Amino acid sequence: MTVPKEMPEKWARAGAPPSWSRKKPSWGTEEERRARANDREYNEKFQYASNCIKTSKYNILTFLPVNLFEQFQEVANTYFLFLLILQLIPQISSLSWFTTIVPLVLVLTITAVKDATDDYFRHKSDNQVNNRQSQVLINGILQQEQWMNVCVGDIIKLENNQFVAADLLLLSSSEPHGLCYIETAELDGETNMKVRQAIPVTSELGDISKLAKFDGEVICEPPNNKLDKFSGTLYWKENKFPLSNQNMLLRGCVLRNTEWCFGLVIFAGPDTKLMQNSGRTKFKRTSIDRLMNTLVLWIFGFLVCMGVILAIGNAIWEHEVGTRFQVYLPWDEAVDSAFFSGFLSFWSYIIILNTVVPISLYVSVEVIRLGHSYFINWDKKMFCMKKRTPAEARTTTLNEELGQVEYIFSDKTGTLTQNIMVFNKCSINGRSYGDVFDVLGHKAELGERPEPVDFSFNPLADKKFLFWDPTLLEAVKMGDPHTHEFFRLLSLCHTVMSEEKSEGELYYKAQSPDEGALVTAARNFGFVFRSRTPKTITVHEMGTAITYQLLAILDFNNIRKRMSVIVRNPEGKIRLYCKGADTILLDRLHHSTQELLNTTTDHLNEYAGEGLRTLVLAYKDLDEEYYEEWAGRRLQASLAQDSRDDRLASVYEEVESDMMLLGATAIEDKLQQGVPETIALLTLANIKIWVLTGDKQETAVNIGYSCKMLTDDMTEVFIVTGHTVLEVREELRKAREKMMDSSRAVGNGFTYQEKLSSSRLSSVLEAVAGEYALVINGHSLAHALEADMELEFLETACACKAVICCRVTPLQKAQVVELVKKYKKAVTLAIGDGANDVSMIKTAHIGVGISGQEGIQAVLASDYSFSQFKFLQRLLLVHGRWSYLRMCKFLCYFFYKNFAFTMVHFWFGFFCGFSAQTVYDQYFITLYNIVYTSLPVLAMGVFDQDVPEQRSMEYPKLYEPGQLNLLFNKREFFICIAQGIYTSVLMFFIPYGVFAEATRDDGTQLADYQSFAVTVATSLVIVVSVQIGLDTGYWTAINHFFIWGSLAVYFAILFAMHSNGLFDMFPNQFRFVGNAQNTLAQPTVWLTIVLTTVVCIMPVVAFRFLRLNLKPDLSDTVRYTQLVRKKQKAQHRCMRRVGRTGSRRSGYAFSHQEGFGELIMSGKNMRLSSLALSSFTTRSSSSWIESLRRKKSDSASSPSGGADKPLKG
């Protein structure tokens, strides 16, 4: 091995990494990080990033060009800039440049001000952080330095309650054994304290003089975003020492309950894990956004077609007619032919007709979405009083998508349940404890139970802990050895930290609610975990303090699904204690425990059948010689440079075998309030709910019954548990066969064979008679998600009313969501509360985070957040449905009013020699979309309702039009366009026909260009105002003010522009003095306006009247029912709760996170019946949604996109 000159020879003897290559981050990918303590000159060779962070995007010089460049990345802004450039060319522009530049500048300015404000606060935050003070050891002296000046390799002193300045290797602390406590809320959202520890060789470096002489070098992984992983080695004093995440203090953490500590800077600034995790979240767009992009392209194509038609007309007119009037109407100097005149006319009409897609459309959409977001934030009915947590819309771009959700993917623990664990039952040496029986031997229900067990004998007992079976306490008091060993295991085998604020007042800080519940149970039954050091655990056993030597902690992770401790008791006996999931632990027991195993398994089935979370407990005695030999191999594995985790797992696997069974625990995780009602309501809205959980199959199934996903009325619940691809495929095939066998005669005049031949496979499956549910295990799901089987799984699952996936990994959760997104044209929503739900939340169209017991990582990754699952029904059925309704009505009206406005120019072209002359005054063109018609449509888009919120919840079927995308689609778009074109035809030709023969009061001719323009413009404003009045379903004072106020503003501006005052100030701009007053003083003009309005509006009124009477939709029916109810004062039916009979075999769960074992050791059912929801009046219209859904289902492609195919038997 070649030893570099900079590396001391003694390190070569200790063993150096095989590669000394170093790549500078500035010009290549960093392969490894090297940092030498107290040697800035050496570390500067690698050109590592400084500790200065920059989250801002602009400075004073770059703001304007960079921001404008970013804004013109938007196609719409570029399009309007292009139009502005065209308007600056005098040969083709018949409009003044300000008709485009005013709205464009307004939009750009509003966006720029918003961006500048955001960046100002980013600058302010950056400066505040970069200028924080830190104590840095420089030349043997502690000096105050700003954070931005801290470098890799510096040694920093931190004091209590200070933020960690960079990613540090903990060297020493004021606490014994180099321990220190940190809070990681800024990193992972968890507020419970965590413990970190220095390696023993540096834990004694608490003195400044010793630290100044410290010259160790760390070689570790390059910068990355893995918060829970760190692998490195410290080379010092001819030795090398393994480093892990438990030795690291990450930037963003806060030092707690520790007077001081010293750390070596490993990663600084943008290289820190906090900054590495600050990447941008994937931008989500709604289906309406995607549709709008398509429609805008179509409109642009339509605009080009109109321009071509009018340009051809201009060329023909100039060739046939215009040449005869060259004396009076000469061509411009640049125009030398009729063809070139037509070419210029094309661009002129592109400018004039561009208002079919005004820039104000995009601004209005964002304003409406912002208003909807505030409504969610302000909703008091989604505010949790207990946690003082409001609902929060963390994005403003997805609100209308909330009204189109078809699939919900939900976590179970902490989302459907409370994630507050209660020790409920246990099995010890074959005997079950926890049930209470009456004098007749019947199991007592909760309300019939006597007083809870009295723990007054134990002064250290937790007064909040309740247990109902006195026989367990009697067994403890009688000294039963199995019971004592059971609770001894619970008091020793954990990573809980204990804090004693005063004598006898213990506070446990557990990394999971399960672990806290188990240690608290042991505490109350006389085995009180009191304190711990890196090498000892002190337990008060029945009042006697006993200190165990802690030899090793074999920590929990998601693969092992168990944790163990190895301790030496005061008598010198070494014993391993283990707790873990039954699927893992039962295979590692000694064969002599078979009889006890059978009894305990029965108890586990019973507990899991009640929806309880179970763990199995076991122990093993070790002799001294075997332990010493095993500990040596464990040390070698921990020092490995590669595959360290795999080698440690192999060593752990060896010792955790042939264990003796002690018993099992059962913990209750209660459902959240309102979960059954919410799921029942969402199911009635035709929303399919899939539960993706890490819990055991039977536990999840039982929760499914409890929360009303599964019912006894279901035709069948399919369980898929195959361990091979063939087994899973066969189980899925059988499930599909059973569903179709029961649907041989579907009804409605169709037989099964007819359906199979007339629609695709997935459509047939989704139309089966009866209700089915699918439950699939994680190992089976892994096969089902393979490319050659994913379609079979999806077809089967989508035919079921409910799907439960058990024992799934975070990656599998995301894969299931992605599968549905890929093949089903449906909006998906994922909801969860923990870090394991983040991938699922980010994958779904909409992500919802529950602010629960597992920190706020899910909330930080989500689009919407609240504190309880029951608020989901209000988010979707009220806010989501309203947002979708409002946005659809807004878009329909917006396109209508702009086509009605713009197409008048097209018809006028045939009467003005295709000269690109405008009908309206140029100021009217400028103000039409930003003043005259902007506020009424905004008010409708923000405030409109079809039915009140109570009815939205009472009639969940109202949600289905959004799922079917009925309110705004290509068909609705063309209807709006047709209405707009129809209105424009009448708007132009009725005044044109009247003015051809009309005269004024004095007998003079009424027709002139300006009078015609005023009449058409006034008719347009009145017609679109009446139309929005018809479209508005919920009138507020704001609607009234905006509609009538806009009309008043129109007339005020109209009269002002034709007044003497403006003419005196701007004689070249406002020449037509008194035109408006004279025109609108004529009765003929007003009759024309009234006639135009009536003819434009009456067909709409007639159509809606007929539809309301002949084919009303569901919202019309609900409104009618509401009126009837008000008259009759009918009372609502109440919801009834009905208990479920029969039992369901449930299962075993192990909810935990990777613990702190390495650190500490390093030195360190009731099911509810269907809701009795109020029914609505049954009318012939009630089937319209179902027929549309069938039509959509029949026309949709199967997920595979293949041709019709029969099921293979």
Side-chain angles (χ1 to χ4, degrees):
M1 179 186 296
T2 303
V3 182
K5 295 180 181 180
E6 297 93 337
M7 184 176 178
E9 184 67 28
K10 57 186 179 182
W11 286 1
R13 292 195 298 270
S19 171
W20 192 264
S21 64
R22 53 180 180 260
K23 290 191 176 182
K24 299 178 182 179
S26 58
W27 50 265
T29 302
E30 187 176 350
E31 295 178 353
E32 64 182 12
R33 173 59 58 103
R34 294 176 175 271
R36 183 181 296 174
N38 295 312
D39 194 343
R40 283 194 171 186
E41 183 179 353
Y42 172 78
N43 296 320
E44 284 173 358
K45 296 177 182 178
F46 302 100
Q47 299 182 12
Y48 294 136
S50 72
N51 203 40
C52 179
I53 64 167
K54 180 185 177 184
T55 61
S56 57
K57 296 168 61 177
Y58 318 106
N59 57 40
I60 295 177
L61 296 178
T62 63
F63 173 73
L64 196 59
V66 173
N67 185 260
L68 286 176
F69 176 77
E70 289 177 346
Q71 291 202 58
F72 284 115
Q73 298 296 304
E74 293 285 339
V75 177
N77 290 340
T78 305
Y79 169 64
F80 288 108
L81 178 65
F82 172 68
L83 290 176
L84 176 61
I85 294 172
L86 290 180
Q87 284 181 266
L88 296 176
I89 303 174
Q91 285 80 8
I92 63 174
S93 178
S94 56
L95 286 175
S96 297
W97 53 269
F98 62 78
T99 58
T100 296
I101 200 171
V102 169
L104 179 62
V105 169
L106 183 65
V107 170
L108 294 178
T109 302
I110 291 173
T111 306
V113 169
K114 174 182 172 294
D115 292 342
T117 303
D118 291 343
D119 207 58
Y120 168 75
F121 286 110
R122 283 194 288 264
H123 271 288
K124 191 174 180 179
S125 175
D126 289 348
N127 291 334
Q128 181 183 358
V129 171
N130 289 330
N131 290 310
R132 284 177 180 168
Q133 296 294 310
S134 186
Q135 298 182 67
V136 183
L137 186 62
I138 300 176
N139 298 324
I141 302 172
L142 277 178
Q143 300 180 13
Q144 290 289 336
E145 282 281 357
Q146 294 175 327
W147 276 24
M148 67 174 72
N149 298 325
V150 171
C151 302
V152 172
D154 287 351
I155 293 178
I156 294 178
K157 180 181 181 181
L158 295 175
E159 295 181 344
N160 193 33
N161 296 325
Q162 281 189 347
F163 278 95
V164 179
D167 288 357
L168 310 177
L169 169 66
L170 180 61
L171 298 177
S172 60
S173 78
S174 58
E175 301 299 301
H177 310 286
L179 286 171
C180 77
Y181 302 94
I182 58 172
E183 184 180 280
T184 61
E186 282 204 13
L187 284 173
D188 56 19
E190 298 180 8
T191 56
N192 57 312
M193 277 194 294
K194 297 179 174 63
V195 63
R196 294 291 184 263
Q197 186 173 23
I199 58 176
V201 71
T202 64
S203 61
E204 303 302 323
L205 300 177
D207 184 72
I208 299 295
S209 59
K210 293 180 180 179
L211 285 166
K213 297 176 182 177
F214 177 65
D215 60 351
E217 182 168 358
V218 173
I219 302 177
C220 65
E221 61 190 17
N224 59 72
N225 62 356
K226 297 177 182 177
L227 294 174
D228 57 346
K229 296 288 184 183
F230 179 81
S231 179
T233 304
L234 171 65
Y235 291 85
W236 190 44
K237 292 185 177 179
E238 303 188 18
N239 290 301
K240 59 180 181 179
F241 309 93
L243 304 175
S244 71
N245 196 52
Q246 305 302 330
N247 310 123
M248 297 294 293
L249 305 180
L250 301 184
R251 180 179 180 132
C253 299
V254 181
L255 192 66
R256 300 290 192 199
N257 297 348
T258 306
E259 187 178 344
W260 53 262
C261 72
F262 286 94
L264 173 66
V265 177
I266 305 297
F267 301 120
D271 291 342
T272 59
K273 292 183 183 288
L274 175 67
M275 299 304 295
Q276 291 280 313
N277 275 281
S278 61
R280 293 183 178 179
T281 305
K282 181 182 177 181
F283 182 68
K284 298 179 179 180
R285 301 187 70 88
T286 67
S287 57
I288 286 183
D289 278 334
R290 293 189 290 272
L291 177 60
M292 276 179 55
N293 289 339
T294 302
L295 297 181
V296 167
L297 290 176
W298 287 4
I299 292 173
F300 182 74
F302 180 65
L303 172 63
V304 171
C305 290
M306 288 194 296
V308 169
I309 292 171
L310 293 170
I312 293 173
N314 177 267
I316 294 173
W317 191 91
E318 289 290 352
H319 183 268
E320 299 293 334
V321 182
T323 54
R324 303 175 187 176
F325 298 92
Q326 287 291 315
V327 177
Y328 308 103
L329 297 172
W331 287 340
D332 292 335
E333 294 181 4
V335 179
D336 55 3
S337 67
F339 174 81
F340 190 65
S341 174
F343 174 76
L344 296 179
S345 179
F346 169 80
W347 295 108
S348 299
Y349 274 111
I350 291 294
I351 294 172
I352 292 172
L353 301 174
N354 80 84
T355 48
V356 286
V357 188
I359 196 170
S360 58
L361 170 66
Y362 298 94
V363 180
S364 301
V365 166
E366 294 307 316
V367 170
I368 291 172
R369 286 174 172 168
L370 183 63
H372 296 168
S373 299
Y374 277 116
F375 287 154
I376 294 173
N377 296 343
W378 293 338
D379 191 342
K380 293 182 179 179
K381 293 182 180 179
M382 295 173 68
F383 181 82
C384 180
M385 293 298 295
K386 183 178 179 180
K387 298 180 181 178
R388 307 296 298 173
T389 305
E392 181 183 5
R394 298 173 53 82
T395 180
T396 61
T397 60
L398 302 175
N399 295 324
E400 63 269 19
E401 197 113 293
L402 289 171
Q404 299 181 276
V405 174
E406 286 192 58
Y407 289 88
I408 292 177
F409 301 91
S410 174
D411 178 39
K412 184 186 77 66
T413 304
T415 303
L416 301 178
T417 60
Q418 298 180 27
N419 202 21
I420 299 175
M421 308 301 173
V422 178
F423 183 84
N424 191 288
K425 295 181 182 181
C426 62
S427 172
I428 303 175
N429 195 35
R431 179 175 177 182
S432 178
Y433 298 92
D435 289 322
V436 181
F437 298 89
D438 58 22
V439 292
L440 298 177
H442 298 139
K443 187 181 295 186
E445 297 299 329
L446 184 60
E448 304 167 352
R449 292 179 180 178
E451 291 295 317
V453 174
D454 181 12
F455 294 106
S456 59
F457 80 98
N458 182 1
L460 296 176
D462 185 345
K463 295 179 175 58
K464 298 178 183 177
F465 179 84
L466 297 177
F467 196 76
W468 306 93
D469 186 357
T471 59
L472 181 56
L473 183 58
E474 292 170 5
V476 172
K477 290 182 176 180
M478 291 175 63
D480 177 60
H482 298 289
T483 307
H484 279 215
E485 198 68 12
F486 180 91
F487 285 112
R488 184 176 293 117
L489 185 153
L490 293 183
S491 65
L492 293 171
C493 186
H494 58 80
T495 56
V496 173
M497 304 301 295
S498 175
E499 184 179 352
E500 193 164 356
K501 295 185 177 180
S502 60
E503 183 64 28
E505 285 191 48
L506 290 175
Y507 295 91
Y508 290 153
K509 295 181 178 177
Q511 60 177 324
S512 75
D514 304 68
E515 199 163 59
L518 295 174
V519 177
T520 300
R523 167 185 175 178
N524 276 58
F525 282 99
F527 288 74
V528 185
F529 164 61
R530 199 66 182 268
S531 63
R532 80 186 318 145
T533 69
K535 297 297 182 184
T536 65
I537 298 178
T538 300
V539 178
H540 281 218
E541 298 184 1
M542 304 304 291
T544 304
I546 300 178
T547 299
Y548 292 85
Q549 183 181 354
L550 183 59
L551 302 177
I553 290 183
L554 285 58
D555 216 345
F556 171 89
N557 63 37
N558 287 322
I559 299 174
R560 285 169 38 77
K561 291 185 171 61
R562 64 190 183 278
M563 77 162 292
S564 302
V565 295
I566 301 176
V567 297
R568 179 184 279 118
N569 65 16
E571 290 76 33
K573 188 176 181 180
I574 300 176
R575 178 167 285 185
L576 175 144
Y577 291 107
C578 183
K579 68 180 181 186
D582 59 290
T583 52
I584 301 296
L585 227 59
L586 296 182
D587 295 334
R588 288 168 172 74
L589 299 178
H590 195 273
H591 60 83
S592 64
T593 63
Q594 187 60 47
E595 183 177 349
L596 177 58
L597 171 60
N598 294 337
T599 305
T600 305
T601 301
D602 291 339
H603 291 160
L604 286 169
N605 293 342
E606 177 188 339
Y607 300 156
E610 298 171 14
L612 304 179
R613 303 159 64 84
T614 57
L615 286 178
V616 175
L617 312 183
Y619 71 94
K620 179 181 180 180
D621 289 321
L622 306 175
D623 59 53
E624 189 75 35
E625 182 180 350
Y626 173 80
Y627 169 73
E628 292 296 337
E629 186 266 336
W630 176 86
R633 283 186 282 114
R634 175 173 175 262
L635 178 62
Q636 290 179 350
S638 66
L639 289 171
Q641 290 294 319
D642 57 333
S643 304
R644 182 182 298 177
D645 292 341
D646 294 337
R647 297 188 185 188
L648 281 173
S650 177
V651 175
Y652 292 168
E653 186 88 13
E654 176 191 331
V655 74
E656 292 172 328
S657 61
D658 293 331
M659 294 183 287
M660 305 301 294
L661 179 62
L662 264 178
T665 63
I667 294 176
E668 181 180 13
D669 184 11
K670 296 182 179 179
L671 279 179
Q672 289 186 19
Q673 180 185 4
V675 167
E677 294 88 340
T678 300
I679 288 179
L681 206 59
L682 294 176
T683 302
L684 289 174
N686 202 50
I687 297 174
K688 293 184 178 181
I689 301 176
W690 294 20
V691 171
L692 312 178
T693 177
D695 275 351
K696 188 65 176 171
Q697 169 189 309
E698 293 82 0
T699 301
V701 167
N702 188 265
I703 292 294
Y705 278 102
S706 299
C707 67
K708 206 62 195 96
M709 277 185 65
L710 308 178
T711 68
D712 285 334
D713 300 329
M714 282 184 163
T715 309
E716 188 166 351
V717 177
F718 301 112
I719 309 279
V720 179
T721 58
H723 286 78
T724 66
V725 174
L726 293 178
E727 289 176 357
V728 174
R729 178 174 278 117
E730 180 65 17
E731 290 178 2
L732 291 174
R733 185 186 64 80
K734 288 181 178 179
R736 292 196 300 276
E737 281 185 352
K738 285 184 179 180
M739 283 189 279
M740 288 184 292
D741 286 343
S742 64
S743 303
R744 293 297 178 182
V746 178
N748 297 324
F750 291 96
T751 63
Y752 164 72
Q753 288 81 2
E754 288 172 339
K755 277 188 162 292
L756 189 59
S757 62
S758 63
S759 63
R760 298 185 184 277
L761 176 60
S762 61
S763 302
V764 174
L765 284 172
E766 293 186 33
V768 296
E771 293 183 345
Y772 298 89
L774 177 70
V775 179
I776 184 168
N777 263 315
H779 52 78
S780 304
L781 184 63
H783 297 304
L785 291 175
E786 291 180 2
D788 60 341
M789 205 193 304
E790 61 181 11
L791 294 179
E792 296 179 48
F793 165 66
L794 184 64
E795 290 166 355
T796 309
C798 289
C800 296
K801 182 181 178 182
V803 178
I804 298 178
C805 303
C806 316
R807 289 300 199 199
V808 295
T809 65
L811 178 60
Q812 284 178 323
K813 290 184 178 184
Q815 287 174 335
V816 171
V817 176
E818 186 62 43
L819 180 65
V820 175
K821 283 180 62 180
K822 182 178 178 182
Y823 292 111
K824 305 294 290 184
K825 293 182 179 179
V827 176
T828 59
L829 180 147
I831 180 170
D833 74 317
N836 60 334
D837 302 315
V838 168
S839 58
M840 171 177 73
I841 286 171
K842 287 186 174 182
T843 302
H845 291 101
I846 301 168
V848 178
I850 299 281
S851 49
Q853 304 291 323
E854 298 186 23
I856 57 172
Q857 286 173 285
V859 171
L860 296 176
S862 67
D863 305 304
Y864 300 89
S865 68
F866 40 72
S867 61
Q868 292 180 279
F869 182 84
K870 67 178 182 180
F871 295 145
L872 183 62
Q873 59 177 304
R874 187 167 178 83
L875 181 70
L876 298 184
L877 301 185
V878 177
H879 292 287
R881 201 182 71 82
W882 278 353
S883 294
Y884 173 72
L885 170 77
R886 292 162 176 166
M887 185 59 70
C888 292
K889 293 182 73 172
F890 163 80
L891 291 173
C892 287
Y893 175 79
F894 206 96
F895 285 121
Y896 154 75
K897 77 178 181 68
N898 280 285
F899 266 79
F901 164 64
T902 305
M903 288 299 294
V904 173
H905 292 301
F906 181 79
W907 312 123
F908 186 57
F910 291 89
F911 296 89
C912 68
F914 305 96
S915 60
Q917 176 66 40
T918 60
V919 177
Y920 313 111
D921 180 89
Q922 60 184 2
Y923 296 102
F924 179 82
I925 295 174
T926 304
L927 299 175
Y928 176 75
N929 275 306
I930 63 176
V931 176
Y932 300 150
T933 62
S934 60
L935 295 180
V937 71
L938 278 179
M940 182 180 71
V942 172
F943 299 110
D944 202 48
Q945 304 174 16
D946 56 348
V947 297
E949 60 182 77
Q950 299 89 340
R951 301 293 172 258
S952 293
M953 304 282 282
E954 188 176 349
Y955 303 111
K957 284 289 183 181
L958 288 167
Y959 190 79
E960 292 196 10
Q963 297 171 324
L964 298 171
N965 200 24
L966 297 179
L967 301 186
F968 186 74
N969 49 43
K970 293 172 183 176
R971 176 177 175 273
E972 292 296 321
F973 169 74
F974 284 119
I975 290 174
C976 298
I977 297 308
Q979 184 186 356
I981 294 174
Y982 165 78
T983 301
S984 70
V985 169
L986 298 177
M987 199 81 63
F988 176 78
F989 285 102
I990 290 178
Y992 183 84
V994 171
F995 273 50
E997 303 294 338
T999 59
R1000 299 179 184 271
D1001 293 340
D1002 57 5
T1004 59
Q1005 182 69 22
L1006 177 61
D1008 64 65
Y1009 172 71
Q1010 283 297 318
S1011 296
F1012 181 75
V1014 168
T1015 304
V1016 174
T1018 305
S1019 300
L1020 175 64
V1021 173
I1022 292 175
V1023 167
V1024 297
S1025 297
V1026 173
Q1027 181 65 48
I1028 200 169
L1030 292 174
D1031 289 345
T1032 300
Y1034 181 72
W1035 284 85
T1036 66
I1038 297 176
N1039 293 84
H1040 282 288
F1041 177 76
F1042 282 172
I1043 291 177
W1044 313 127
S1046 295
L1047 280 172
V1049 167
Y1050 164 73
F1051 284 109
I1053 294 177
L1054 178 65
F1055 289 130
M1057 287 194 303
H1058 294 86
S1059 65
N1060 288 318
L1062 280 180
F1063 173 76
D1064 292 338
M1065 289 186 288
F1066 308 102
N1068 293 328
Q1069 296 293 326
F1070 302 97
R1071 303 186 185 94
F1072 303 100
V1073 179
N1075 177 69
Q1077 293 86 333
N1078 293 335
T1079 301
L1080 296 179
Q1082 303 299 317
T1084 305
V1085 171
W1086 281 108
L1087 286 172
T1088 304
I1089 293 172
V1090 171
L1091 177 62
T1092 305
T1093 304
V1094 170
V1095 176
C1096 289
I1097 296 300
M1098 280 308 295
V1100 178
V1101 174
F1103 173 77
R1104 294 186 183 182
F1105 176 79
L1106 292 173
R1107 190 189 67 179
L1108 187 64
N1109 282 273
L1110 299 178
K1111 196 176 180 181
D1113 59 30
L1114 193 56
S1115 60
D1116 297 327
T1117 305
V1118 171
R1119 283 196 295 269
Y1120 172 79
T1121 306
Q1122 185 179 358
L1123 292 174
V1124 173
R1125 285 180 174 182
K1126 287 182 179 179
K1127 293 178 181 179
Q1128 299 178 351
K1129 298 182 179 179
Q1131 295 182 345
H1132 298 294
R1133 294 169 58 190
C1134 301
M1135 297 182 182
R1136 295 180 291 108
R1137 291 178 179 268
V1138 180
R1140 176 170 69 92
T1141 58
S1143 62
R1144 286 285 182 272
R1145 182 182 183 278
S1146 193
Y1148 335 125
F1150 191 82
S1151 172
H1152 205 10
Q1153 304 171 22
E1154 189 156 358
F1156 307 125
E1158 183 181 347
L1159 156 72
I1160 294 171
M1161 283 308 300
S1162 64
K1164 20 204 164 236
N1165 253 308
M1166 283 174 26
R1167 126 183 110 69
L1168 295 181
S1169 66
S1170 298
L1171 290 180
L1173 297 173
S1174 301
S1175 60
F1176 48 81
T1177 306
T1178 303
R1179 302 180 62 172
S1180 60
S1181 63
S1182 62
S1183 64
W1184 73 284
I1185 287 181
E1186 293 304 326
S1187 63
L1188 280 167
R1189 180 173 293 285
R1190 284 196 296 271
K1191 181 178 178 182
K1192 176 189 177 186
S1193 179
D1194 291 343
S1195 62
S1197 298
S1198 68
S1200 60
D1204 301 344
K1205 54 182 179 180
L1207 280 176
K1208 295 181 180 180

